[in-house]
Each structure stands twice: as C-alpha cells, then as structure tokens.
Amino acid sequence: METLQRIVSTLVNKNDEIHNFIDMLNHTISNVQVNSSNAISELDEEFDGLYSVLHEMKGSMANTIQQEEARKIQALQDQLSQCSRALESSEELLELAVQSLDIKNPVELLEASRQIKDSVTVASAFRLSLKPKVSDSMTHMMVDFALEKRMLQAVKFLPVPKAPEIDVAACLVADNCITISWRMPEEDSRIDHFVLEYRKTNFDGLPRLKGEQRWELVDYIKATQYTLSGLKFDTKYMNLRVQACNKAVAGEYSDPVTLETKAFLFSLDSTSSHLNLKVEDTCVEWDPTGGKGQEKIKGKENKNSGQNPLLKSNRRSNTASPKRSTNSPRASARGGRDRFAGESYTVLGDTAVESGQHYWEVRAQKDCKSYSVGVTYRNLGKFDQLGKTNSSWCIHINNWLQTTFSAKHNNKAKTLDIPVPDRIGVYCDFDGGQLSFYNASSKALLHTFRAKFTQPLLPGFMIWCGGLTVSTGLQVPSAVKTLQKRENGLGGSTSSLNNA
C-alpha cells in the first residue's frame, strides 16, 4: 500500500512537471512569434534609417559639387572679363601704332613712338596671365563606394551576447542578503552591462509560469557579481537569472538558479490575543476600549485600570487557569487556544519553534509604557504573564514613572543595568537550549537564558499602553552567529533565572 502511494505521489509530481513544461513551451512559441514580428519591424526601421542617411548624404555631396562648379565658373568668367578688357585696350594701341607709321615729321613721329611705348608698358594685356585660374577637372568630387558596398554586403545580424553562467558555488545567502556571481562562457569585449532578475517562490527546481510572483529587475550592472540586500525571506526559495547586454541588444537569460531563503516567518495570532490588544499581521497596539465586553474575573478585572498591572504585588498565583490543560496537544494554528484575558495583555506568534536556530526583531513605540518580549510553551495560561511561569522567558521594559529593564523567568526578575535599545533582536537556539536578546542595531548582547527546551516555543509579547512591531522573515545575522560561537566557546554566563 505504501509503495503504491509513493508511486501515485511520484506520478502526480511528474504530471505536474510536464504540465508546467507544456505551459512553458506554449509560452515560448507565443514569444517566438511576437519577437519575430518585432525583429522585422526593427529591421525595417534600421534600413529606413540607412536609406535616409544615404539620401541625406547624396543631397549634401551633390550640393558640394554644385558649389564647386559655381566657384570655378565664376573664376573663369572673371578671368574672361579681364581678358576682354585687355584685348580691347591692346587693339586700341595697335590702331594708334599703325596710324603713327604715317607721320612724316621726324619729331612728331618720335613723340608718338614715345607715347605708344609708354602706353604699351602699362597696358593690361602685357600683365595678364594667359593660364586659366582653375581647371575643368572635377575628379576631386568623385566618390568610390566600393569599400562601403563590401561593408554593407557583409552586414549581418548583431552578435547576440551569450547567456551568462551563474556560479552557484560562489552565491551566498546570509543576513537577508543574496550575493549572486556569474561569468561569461567566453570573453566578450562588447558587453556593456548585465540585467539581474529575481522573484520569490515556494517551489524548488525550475521556475513556473503560473501562480508565481512577477520578476523583479536590477538593470545596468557593470560587474559580474551583485548583492541584493534588505530582503524579507517570506518564501522558501528565490529564483534568479542574468542576461548580458551590448549597446544594442540583450542576450538570452542564463539558466535560472533557485536558492533557498530559509528564515523564521510568523504573524501574530489575533484570534487568541488579549481583547485589549489590536493585532494586524506583525503589529500590535494597546486598545483600552477593546476589552470592555469581556466578563470580569472575580470582580477585579477592571479595577485600577489606569495602573500598570506589572507594578502590582504578585498577589495572583502563577498557577495556570483551571480551563487550561498543561498537556494540551493543541497545534499552533490560529484559533487553537483560548483568548488571553485578565491582566496578561499577551499575544503570541502563530508559528512555533521546534528545532534549529531562529531570529526576529521587535521595535516598540516611543511612548510605550510597558512591554515584554520572549518565548513560551503553548501551555501559557490565558491569565498568565510572560516571565511569571516556569514555561516562559522574556525581557521586560517598564517606562511607567521610571524606566526599568529586566530579564524574567519563573516569576523571578534580574535587573539589566544597560540602556534599552530601540530595536530588540531575539535569538532562539532550540536544540542548543539558548535564548538570547540583542541590541538589534549594534548586535550587543543584552541577556541570555539557558534551558533545556522540552516543548515547542511560541514567540510571545506583552504590551500595555503603546505598540510593538515585529520583523520576521529574518535570518540569524552573521554578527550574532559570531557572538554565539564566542560565548559558547567561553562557556557563556549562566543566568540565575535559568532552568535546572
């Protein structure tokens, strides 16, 4: 029977893969048709642009030839006018000289000869160049497009950059950052930049076409490595792919890679939160009007409502509510437990820590009067407060009248003589039996509990007069890992509040 079930499961998975591949093939066919039409349109545009350039060049060069023609003709016409005037003057001198030959008086003849001689000396005909100023040749305006023709005949489709190859071994997922590295299959000096696309997914293996988030894009990457930072890991995996681009065209995408983005993700359980707390996803705010409809417990529920409940004496026993079963097998799903009541003012996370190392952060509103951050077993009573039972651990900040900062467990408190940070980081090593609190900004250690955890742990929060914002989907920061190794290597400091 089990064998048959495995076969059925394998066939279902294989059918799902084939359906996904069929969708991908149909999508590819459609893209081929669309991209081919686009390529033809772009080809027409390029040739039209080339025709336009050639036509413009032809007009410009023809205009240059016409200007050269006009310049030469003008120069020759000017020279022709000079020659005409010189010829006219020369003919007048010739006629005068011929007439002078008929003079009989020697004195008059001598005077006429002298005058003709002086006129000839200054005559323009004897200073005129009889060589054309310009030639009739226009060979310098000829063109030879033989080389250009060969170049045009050699024009081919642009070389498309080859698909990059992602170096999976060099990729790194840490501190809610993903560093991805790639290389080109061969050297290509024409590569101008790279484009990185990524998207979140809950499926391992090849990217799917249906039911997936859209690709996010990072453009104009000059190097062959890029780091995506400040990510929230709210899915199991991340698909990534890269394409290379030259000045004109983008190449094919690389084979996509799928990297695991493991992180602890949870929301606040609004179905079991205290009625005086307004819960939305990972935010909780004190609402003094929210619990007006709940019944009073022993006639004391609403007494001294303006007083910080955690400053009262510990008259209430930390025994669990009679309605609570300490061995309750309830799951961590929403609605699986009673709503918190009384003066607990508590809300829990909806996902339990059952193994491994996890990390989340909490930011309190500046005017928050009192709040606690920690973890608890599922058996926390609906009237119990964090840190006042032997199954819950927390740090507590009280800003009522004066600020106090303390670590609490099993109804015992240890004062922490350190400044309260704006953000608190919670590190839980379930298997190692360690719960540490950090300054989320500086990663300075605030306090560490050491205990042998025997049941799943739920993130827990108490709030009175103010609000908290929880950041989940975070990986354990590298700085925290380093501090943990150092602390564990030195044996660590054991809190007096720890379990035996």
Side-chain angles (χ1 to χ4, degrees):
M1 185 64 180
E2 292 182 0
T3 302
L4 183 57
Q5 288 179 341
R6 286 196 299 270
I7 293 174
V8 169
S9 177
T10 301
L11 289 173
V12 168
N13 291 335
K14 180 54 67 175
N15 288 345
D16 186 46
E17 291 179 1
I18 294 174
H19 278 299
N20 182 52
F21 186 62
I22 289 174
D23 291 338
M24 182 178 294
L25 289 176
N26 288 327
H27 185 69
T28 303
I29 290 173
S30 177
N31 283 346
V32 167
Q33 294 171 337
V34 172
N35 292 337
S36 296
S37 178
N38 291 339
I40 291 175
S41 297
E42 291 180 4
L43 184 67
D44 289 338
E45 290 180 5
E46 288 296 324
F47 270 93
D48 288 343
L50 183 59
Y51 298 151
S52 176
V53 170
L54 289 173
H55 183 73
E56 184 179 343
M57 287 181 61
K58 177 182 177 182
S60 176
M61 296 177 78
N63 184 55
T64 301
I65 293 174
Q66 291 171 350
Q67 290 177 351
E68 179 69 2
E69 176 190 14
R71 184 189 69 81
K72 284 193 171 187
I73 289 176
Q74 184 63 48
L76 292 172
Q77 285 180 342
D78 290 344
Q79 195 173 17
L80 182 61
S81 297
Q82 293 175 0
C83 289
S84 296
R85 290 193 295 272
L87 180 60
E88 183 180 352
S89 176
S90 179
E91 287 177 346
E92 290 178 354
L93 286 175
L94 178 61
E95 183 179 355
L96 181 62
V98 170
Q99 293 176 355
S100 297
L101 292 176
D102 296 332
I103 298 176
K104 302 299 182 182
N105 187 324
V107 175
E108 291 180 357
L109 180 62
L110 180 63
E111 179 62 23
S113 297
R114 184 184 65 77
Q115 291 179 353
I116 292 173
K117 179 181 177 182
D118 292 341
S119 297
V120 170
T121 303
V122 298
S124 59
F126 292 94
R127 293 182 287 108
L128 183 69
S129 172
L130 298 181
K131 179 180 179 181
K133 289 185 177 180
V134 295
S135 70
D136 60 354
S137 174
M138 295 293 286
T139 56
H140 61 293
M141 290 293 176
M142 303 298 290
V143 294
D144 181 5
F145 285 148
L147 176 61
E148 287 75 8
K149 287 179 181 178
R150 287 195 296 270
M151 291 176 62
L152 287 173
Q153 290 170 348
V155 168
K156 298 179 180 179
F157 292 107
L158 273 174
V160 178
K162 293 188 176 181
E165 298 174 351
I166 297 178
D167 186 358
V168 179
C171 295
L172 178 64
V173 181
D175 295 332
N176 284 86
C177 299
I178 296 179
T179 298
I180 180 171
S181 299
W182 61 89
R183 57 178 172 266
M184 295 300 295
E186 58 186 46
E187 186 67 25
D188 188 348
S189 60
R190 291 166 295 193
I191 297 298
D192 179 67
H193 65 275
F194 297 93
V195 176
L196 168 64
E197 290 191 352
Y198 65 97
R199 70 179 179 185
K200 298 177 180 180
T201 180
N202 283 312
F203 297 98
D204 190 6
L206 293 175
R208 299 171 174 239
L209 292 177
K210 294 182 178 180
E212 291 285 9
Q213 300 185 29
R214 64 182 182 85
W215 290 96
E216 300 288 341
L217 182 144
V218 181
D219 204 350
Y220 298 106
I221 301 173
K222 295 296 185 178
T224 55
Q225 184 182 81
Y226 190 82
T227 298
L228 297 167
S229 59
L231 300 171
K232 180 177 181 180
F233 290 162
D234 49 7
T235 57
K236 296 180 181 178
Y237 304 97
M238 187 86 77
N239 297 143
L240 302 106
R241 63 186 185 183
V242 182
Q243 67 177 166
C245 305
N246 55 32
K247 289 292 185 180
V249 64
E252 295 289 335
Y253 283 102
S254 65
D255 290 334
V257 298
T258 301
L259 301 180
E260 186 177 17
T261 52
K262 185 182 296 183
F264 184 48
L265 184 70
F266 67 90
S267 296
L268 300 179
D269 185 3
S270 60
T271 63
S272 64
S273 63
H274 196 285
L275 286 175
N276 281 116
L277 301 182
K278 181 181 178 182
V279 176
E280 292 185 7
D281 193 21
T282 57
C283 297
V284 54
E285 287 188 359
W286 166 261
D287 182 7
T289 65
K292 292 211 173 194
Q294 65 177 323
E295 61 176 350
K296 297 181 180 180
I297 306 298
K298 297 181 182 180
K300 297 181 179 180
E301 285 298 309
N302 296 324
K303 187 177 280 188
N304 300 322
S305 60
Q307 182 179 352
N308 186 342
L310 297 184
L311 290 180
K312 299 178 182 180
S313 60
N314 288 325
R315 291 175 294 176
R316 184 184 306 279
S317 168
N318 58 3
T319 305
S321 167
K323 295 184 179 180
R324 172 178 56 87
S325 171
T326 56
N327 296 319
S328 172
R330 290 173 179 170
S332 62
R334 297 185 178 190
R337 61 167 295 132
D338 294 333
R339 184 180 289 278
F340 285 99
E343 296 170 355
S344 61
Y345 305 121
T346 299
V347 61
L348 302 179
D350 62 358
T351 305
V353 175
E354 300 185 20
S355 63
Q357 301 171 346
H358 305 282
Y359 179 84
W360 59 96
E361 294 181 355
V362 182
R363 180 189 292 273
Q365 294 177 355
K366 291 185 177 181
D367 59 349
C368 194
K369 293 292 188 294
S370 179
Y371 61 96
S372 297
V373 177
V375 297
T376 178
Y377 291 159
R378 290 184 177 128
N379 61 10
L380 184 68
K382 70 176 185 178
F383 302 114
D384 293 336
Q385 294 176 349
L386 288 175
K388 289 193 174 183
T389 69
N390 61 2
S391 61
S392 63
W393 299 257
C394 73
I395 56 174
H396 174 70
I397 295 89
N398 176 53
N399 292 317
W400 182 258
L401 300 180
Q402 62 180 7
T403 299
T404 60
F405 192 17
S406 59
K408 291 186 174 184
H409 170 63
N410 201 18
N411 208 23
K412 297 179 181 178
K414 178 180 179 180
T415 300
L416 304 179
D417 190 19
I418 48 179
V420 178
D422 292 333
R423 287 186 299 125
I424 296 174
V426 183
Y427 168 79
C428 181
D429 182 358
F430 186 92
D431 302 315
Q434 187 170 333
L435 177 68
S436 297
F437 298 89
Y438 289 88
N439 181 323
S441 299
S442 66
K443 300 301 182 290
L445 179 64
L446 305 176
H447 184 75
T448 294
F449 290 106
R450 294 184 182 276
K452 183 178 180 181
F453 300 126
T454 59
Q455 299 179 37
L457 295 168
L458 288 169
F461 310 89
M462 187 286 298
I463 185 69
W464 183 76
C465 291
L468 299 176
T469 300
V470 184
S471 297
T472 69
L474 304 178
Q475 292 188 307
V476 179
S478 300
V480 170
K481 290 181 180 180
T482 301
L483 288 172
Q484 286 296 320
K485 289 180 180 179
R486 188 181 305 163
E487 183 181 356
N488 293 334
L490 297 174
S493 57
T494 302
S495 169
S496 61
L497 304 179
N498 294 332
N499 285 352

